[in-house]
Amino acid sequence: MQGATTVGAMWNPSLYIGSILADSEDRVSILPPRIKESMPSPEPKPGEAGWLYRVLEPYYSRECVDNVMKAMMSGQISSGASWPRKLAEEICRLYNVPVALPTSSGASALHVALLACDLGPEDHVLIPSFTMVAVANMVKMVGARPLYCDSAEGSLNPGCEQLLQKATPRTKAVILCHTYGVACKDIEKIAALCKEKGWWLLEDICEAMGTRADNGALVGTFGDFAVASLYANKPITAGDGGWVHAREAKHHDRLKSLINHGFDPAYHFLHFETAPNAKMNGLGAAFVCSQVKMLPEIMQHRARVAAWYREELAGIDGLSCLEQRTHDAPWVFGVETKDRQTRDRLREHLATRRIETRNYFYCLHLEPVNFYGADVGSYDILLPQAEHIAQVGFYLPTHSFLERSDIAYITSVIREFYACGKEVATPPRENGWADDERAKLLRPESATGAEQ
C-alpha cells in the first residue's frame, strides 16, 4: 500500500480545488481579475500569546450540562428522544408558531425548507449576495438557481427594489437573511410582495434569532418558513444544530418526513420522495433546550453591547458603525472604513493588541465556485452596494461575556489607530478570562442570566 492516496482523479475541480493545486497561490492564479482583485486578504494573527478577545464565545449555563447528563443517564440521546420534542415546544412558544422541528444545522434546515417548497431545475430563488455561502449552496442542492440581489442603499440587506430588479418569470421563492442580526428594513413590504406574486418567503434567522423588526415582531414570523442555526458562535447553541419552523400547521407532516429520509408515518420503510437525514440528536437538543428562555435576556445584553460600541466610536472620521434599526441588538457588531486598505490595516492593528476580528462576508456572486462550477459568469454581475460593504466592513468581539470596560478597551485601540484618543490602557482581562467566566456559569449554584 506504499504510495496509496485517498485522493483520486477529479472530474470537477470545484469538488475540492486543494486536491489538484498544492500551493495556495495556484488556487487563485487562474481566477478572473474581478475575483482576484476583490478577494479578502490573509487573516491577521495574534502572535504566540493568542487572542485575548475572541470575536464570539459560546455561552451556556449549568442547566444545559445537567440536561445532557439527564439525557445520557436515561438513554434519551437520539433524534427520537424526548429532548428534540421539548426543544420544538420551546421554539413554538417563543415564535408563536404551530410547527418547529430541530435539525442538524442551519444549512440542513434551509435545505429541508426549500424541499418543502417543491422547487425544481427551472425555478429561480432570489437571495442576497451579501450573506453566508450556505444560502446559495442549499438553493443549488435542490436543483434551483440562485439569483443574487444587491443590498439596499445604507443597508446590509436587500429591499423590495433590489428583489424586483432581479425577479424573473421563473422566480418561485425569496430568501431573506437579516444579516448579522440586523432586521431587513423592508420585511413587511417584502412579505406583502411575496404574497402578491405567489412566491415562497423563507427567512434565514441563523444570525437573527431573537432579533425584532422595526414593528416589534420577531423576525422569523413573516415568512412561510424560517430557519435558524445553533452553531457554537450563535447567541444560543447546541454546538451544532438548528431548526426549521413554519407559520402554518399544514407543513408539519411534510417537514417531519423531509428531515428523516422521507419516512412515511403510516409505513415505516416506505419512501415516496428523496430526502436528507437532517435530524438533531437528543444530546444537542438537551443542551440547548433550556437556553431558549434565556434568549430575550441575551438579546438585551447584545443591545447594551451595541450601544456601548456606538457611543465609544462616535465621531471618528472615516469610520462608521453598521446599520442601526429600531431594535438595535445585532448578533455581531460591525464597522466600516473608508476603503479596503484602511480596513486591513486596522484589523492588523487590532490583532497586535490580541483583539480578533472578522471581515464582512465576501459577496456570493464573486465566489470562486462561480468560476469553477455551473454558474460560470455570474461573477460579472455588478452589485455595487453589497460589493462596497464587503470590501470595507468587519466585525468586532460581540458576545455575552463582554462588559462596558471590555468595549472601552477595544474601542480605545481603534481610536489609537485613528490617532484620536488617549493612550491605550492596560487590558482589563488576562489570558483565559472568557473560560473563567464560563466556568462560573457551570457551577451548580450559578445563575443562568446574561452578564450585565
Side-chain angles (χ1 to χ4, degrees), residues 54-99:
R54 302 302 300 256
V55 166
L56 293 152
E57 291 281 356
Y59 182 80
Y60 43 86
S61 70
R62 175 70 193 201
E63 186 176 3
C64 302
V65 177
D66 290 342
N67 285 344
V68 170
M69 289 302 298
K70 290 177 182 177
M72 293 178 68
M73 296 301 291
S74 62
Q76 296 290 305
I77 64 172
S78 77
S79 59
S82 60
W83 286 103
R85 294 193 296 275
K86 292 177 181 177
L87 175 58
E89 291 170 2
E90 293 288 340
I91 296 165
C92 287
R93 189 175 298 113
L94 175 64
Y95 285 91
N96 192 28
V97 292
V99 179

Side-chain angles (χ1 to χ4, degrees), residues 264-298:
D264 184 275
Y267 303 95
H268 190 72
F269 285 114
L270 207 57
H271 303 263
F272 293 91
E273 62 181 322
T274 302
N277 175 12
K279 305 185 300 296
M280 176 187 279
N281 68 76
L283 293 179
F287 187 77
V288 72
C289 197
S290 64
Q291 297 176 45
V292 178
K293 66 177 181 290
M294 296 165 55
L295 189 56
E297 189 173 355
I298 290 171

Side-chain angles (χ1 to χ4, degrees), residues 159-173:
C160 274
E161 180 183 348
Q162 288 69 39
L163 297 177
L164 287 170
Q165 286 173 350
K166 296 296 180 179
T168 73
R170 293 182 178 178
T171 299
K172 294 293 178 65

Side-chain angles (χ1 to χ4, degrees), residues 126-149:
L126 302 176
I127 71 170
S129 181
F130 185 70
T131 191
M132 202 268 189
V133 71
V135 178
N137 286 348
M138 293 306 108
V139 173
K140 295 173 185 178
M141 287 185 70
V142 299
R145 181 184 175 188
L147 300 183
Y148 303 107
C149 300

Side-chain angles (χ1 to χ4, degrees), residues 178-341:
H178 308 290
T179 297
Y180 298 147
V182 176
C184 175
K185 65 180 181 180
D186 276 1
I187 182 59
E188 291 183 273
K189 294 179 181 178
I190 291 171
L193 174 66
C194 289
K195 186 174 182 180
E196 174 192 337
K197 297 284 190 180
W199 297 341
W200 294 99
L201 176 56
L202 293 83
E203 288 186 83
D204 183 332
I205 61 169
C206 289
E207 300 172 1
M209 61 180 77
T211 296
R212 295 191 177 273
D214 288 350
N215 68 358
L218 285 169
V219 300
T221 59
F222 296 88
D224 300 286
F225 301 101
V227 300
S229 168
L230 294 169
Y231 183 60
N233 63 4
K234 299 303 187 290
I236 62 174
T237 180
D240 275 300
W243 78 74
V244 55
H245 70 246
R247 288 197 303 164
E248 296 186 59
K250 66 180 182 180
H251 295 299
H252 175 272
D253 290 354
R254 180 89 188 283
L255 288 173
K256 185 176 181 181
S257 175
L258 286 171
I259 69 168
N260 188 24
H261 305 285
F263 269 101
D264 184 275
Y267 303 95
H268 190 72
F269 285 114
L270 207 57
H271 303 263
F272 293 91
E273 62 181 322
T274 302
N277 175 12
K279 305 185 300 296
M280 176 187 279
N281 68 76
L283 293 179
F287 187 77
V288 72
C289 197
S290 64
Q291 297 176 45
V292 178
K293 66 177 181 290
M294 296 165 55
L295 189 56
E297 189 173 355
I298 290 171
M299 296 308 294
Q300 289 174 14
H301 180 266
R302 279 297 202 279
R304 290 195 293 274
V305 169
W308 295 336
Y309 270 128
R310 293 189 190 279
E311 180 181 340
E312 296 286 350
L313 294 173
I316 299 179
D317 187 32
L319 186 77
S320 59
C321 296
L322 89 168
E323 177 185 1
Q324 184 175 13
R325 304 306 313 156
T326 302
H327 302 275
D328 185 33
W331 169 56
V332 291
F333 193 86
V335 293
E336 294 154 27
T337 60
K338 65 178 182 179
D339 54 45
R340 177 192 171 142
Q341 292 73 25

